[in-house]
Amino acid sequence: SNVVRATSTGLPSQTASLQEFAGGLDKDTLVAFRVESDQHTIEGCVWLALLDGKAFALEQDELHAGQHFQKDWTVVLGHWFSLARTDAANGTRIYKALAEQALFNVQAMIKLDGIRFIQNVPKRTRASTADWYTNNEFTLHRDTYQILVNSI
């Protein structure tokens, strides 16, 4: 699997292996996942997540939130985003982060570096409470969303 980087023309270029992509993941990295058509909801065909740290290989099979993860899979902890609303006037998508921590399979991610919201994500600390998740909204530019959709 290769990393897809958005170029200045908006076209993706393939440049790195899964291990290289996983090595670049860290706390507060925004990542995206392709969604199977039978799971499309208001979110559309792409789901977003904010990572809590670096990717790691599982040392044993693990069950997390009802999903089975196999030994040696490269995974990372983080939080899903939920689409709060869209702005029809400018095509932006406004998200809120969910407080419940999730485990993500790096293999399932869209290998796209540099996904960003329009504004910076406020820093989270160990002391961050559920308020951080309920009080902050994040705006994704329509062009960024289109690059994600086009990359799947």
Side-chain angles (χ1 to χ4, degrees), residues 124-142:
R124 296 175 296 154
T125 65
R126 289 188 191 276
S128 290
T129 64
D131 289 344
W132 186 94
Y133 297 95
T134 57
N135 293 338
N136 288 298
E137 289 189 337
F138 308 95
T139 305
L140 191 70
H141 193 278
R142 71 171 177 240

Side-chain angles (χ1 to χ4, degrees), residues 104-116:
F104 304 113
N105 179 356
V106 173
Q107 179 70 37
M109 292 177 185
I110 297 171
K111 310 305 184 286
L112 186 69
D113 279 342
I115 304 169
R116 300 275 183 272

Side-chain angles (χ1 to χ4, degrees), residues 22-30 50-55 76 124:
L25 300 175
D26 206 347
K27 184 175 186 217
D28 295 329
T29 301
L30 182 62
L50 187 67
L51 302 184
D52 286 344
K54 294 191 174 296
V76 62
R124 296 175 296 154

